[in-house]
Amino acid sequence: MPRVTRVLERVPGTRQLLDADTVTRRRLALAGLAGNIGIVITGGAVRLTGSGLGCPTWPKCTEDSYTATEAMGVNGAIEFGNRLLTFVLSAIAIALVVAVWRHARLRRPAVILALGIPGQGVVGGITVLTDLNPYVVGLHFLLSAAMIGGSYLLWQRTVPRPAAEPGAVRLRPLTWALTAASAAVVVIGVVVTGSGPHAGDEKAHRTGLNPEMISQLHVDAVFLMLGLAVACWFAARAVTAAPMARAATILLAVLLAQGAIGFVQYFTHLPAALVGAHMAGACAVWVATLAVVWSTGFDAPGADGSASSLTSDETNRTLVTVR
């Protein structure tokens, strides 16, 4: 690592990033989180506008061009625009890696997330080469959910956090159950999408599963998650864990709003605008779920031995100041 640091110090423009302060690191981490959510939303727009094969091949947009041509029309521009966002997200990820390079606790997740972006690009390319196979498209979304989770973890780690409250720590298993239910909701939601309309192209295949049956299973998982979210709220208030109670309140609000969108879109035969809002809502529910987990002190200094990983002198000094 010292050798890599010396190399980075010689690269023009990296010295300032290597010496970035906490605020800069946190802003870059937040930009990465927002970018990964943005990719989901723009990817949804590609599918909902029928632009999934706007660029019919990969890595080129056409057999003869890496960019969309005028003859490809709006669909080509939409698909190519989504591909370009990957480069923006890559630039943020690289800047973040440099900014956190001297901080061991931040460096590993930043590097993993940076490597995940080209990995996602490859999966996106496979979706095009397989003519929008619904299972590959679903994998593409689930990998984005994993990237969002990793981005949220990195963002939370950019600032020191107080030690976990004993009452909240006891509720951590309940939040893990909530997280499992939330993940199930996302996974089943992906299966619902693969069995319904809005395939991204009129020639794209569907899974062939019964949409009504899968939708009912999705609703069942949502009600399970809603019950667990209510349980988290009551339990947090019972042990006077104020941060967890606030996080659970936000989750309940987001979950109810997402549920309302889901019911309306189902009974109005899945209009594209509501489907897009539902995809954005899925990201919001996932992030709100993770916030409940983090409110229990998960990954905080002193929680599960994580304090020992705070190797940065700057972070240690900040912790002493906070205490």
Side-chain angles (χ1 to χ4, degrees):
M1 292 305 175
R3 181 178 299 177
V4 176
T5 302
R6 288 194 294 270
V7 171
L8 289 175
E9 288 175 343
R10 296 190 185 100
V11 177
T14 59
R15 167 71 71 172
Q16 186 175 1
L17 271 178
L18 281 170
D19 297 330
D21 58 15
T22 300
V23 173
T24 301
R25 292 194 297 270
R26 188 161 180 80
R27 286 175 177 173
L28 283 171
L30 183 59
L33 174 60
N36 278 293
I37 294 174
I39 284 288
V40 171
I41 295 173
T42 57
V46 168
R47 183 168 60 83
L48 294 170
T49 58
S51 305
L53 295 178
C55 287
T57 188
W58 185 89
K60 290 184 176 182
C61 191
T62 70
E63 293 294 340
D64 303 317
S65 174
Y66 281 97
T67 62
T69 63
E70 186 176 349
M72 299 171 69
V74 175
N75 289 342
I78 292 174
E79 164 64 5
F80 182 68
N82 185 60
R83 293 188 183 189
L84 285 180
L85 285 177
T86 300
F87 293 98
V88 176
L89 191 56
S90 297
I92 295 172
I94 292 171
L96 183 56
V97 168
V98 176
V100 305
W101 187 257
R102 288 176 170 154
H103 305 269
R105 180 168 162 79
L106 306 177
R107 182 171 57 234
R108 180 176 295 179
V111 170
I112 292 174
L113 287 169
L115 294 176
I117 294 172
Q120 269 286 68
V122 171
V123 175
I126 294 173
T127 65
V128 173
L129 297 177
T130 57
D131 295 326
L132 306 181
N133 181 292
Y135 294 104
V136 181
V137 173
L139 175 62
H140 199 36
F141 181 87
L142 294 178
L143 288 176
S144 289
M147 293 284 287
I148 290 170
S151 298
Y152 184 83
L153 177 146
L154 182 57
W155 178 63
Q156 285 284 11
R157 282 188 175 184
T158 54
V159 293
R161 298 167 60 208
E165 298 179 2
V169 171
R170 294 199 301 271
L171 300 179
R172 199 171 293 158
L174 179 60
T175 66
W176 285 124
L178 173 69
T179 304
S182 183
V185 168
V186 171
V187 172
I188 300 172
V190 168
V191 178
V192 172
T193 299
S195 64
H198 305 301
D201 188 86
E202 59 183 12
K203 299 178 182 179
H205 296 290
R206 302 280 75 199
T207 62
L209 299 174
N210 187 320
E212 292 187 1
M213 181 189 70
I214 301 300
S215 296
Q216 182 59 57
L217 183 61
H218 182 58
V219 170
D220 293 340
V222 169
F223 277 117
L224 172 62
M225 182 184 175
L226 180 61
L228 288 168
V230 171
C232 285
W233 185 83
F234 276 110
R237 289 180 61 85
V239 300
T240 62
M244 181 177 171
R246 286 194 298 270
T249 299
I250 294 172
L251 173 61
L252 283 169
V254 173
L255 192 55
L256 290 173
Q258 174 74 336
I261 295 172
F263 275 110
V264 172
Q265 73 164 3
Y266 181 80
F267 289 110
T268 55
H269 307 293
L270 305 174
L274 285 181
V275 174
H278 201 54
M279 291 185 67
C283 296
V285 169
W286 182 233
V287 171
T289 300
L290 297 176
V292 175
V293 177
W294 257 262
S295 69
T296 65
F298 170 76
D299 198 55
D304 301 325
S306 62
S308 61
S309 61
L310 295 173
T311 57
S312 166
D313 292 338
E314 177 187 343
T315 305
N316 289 332
R317 289 196 300 270
T318 306
L319 284 173
V320 171
T321 303
V322 171
R323 291 173 183 170

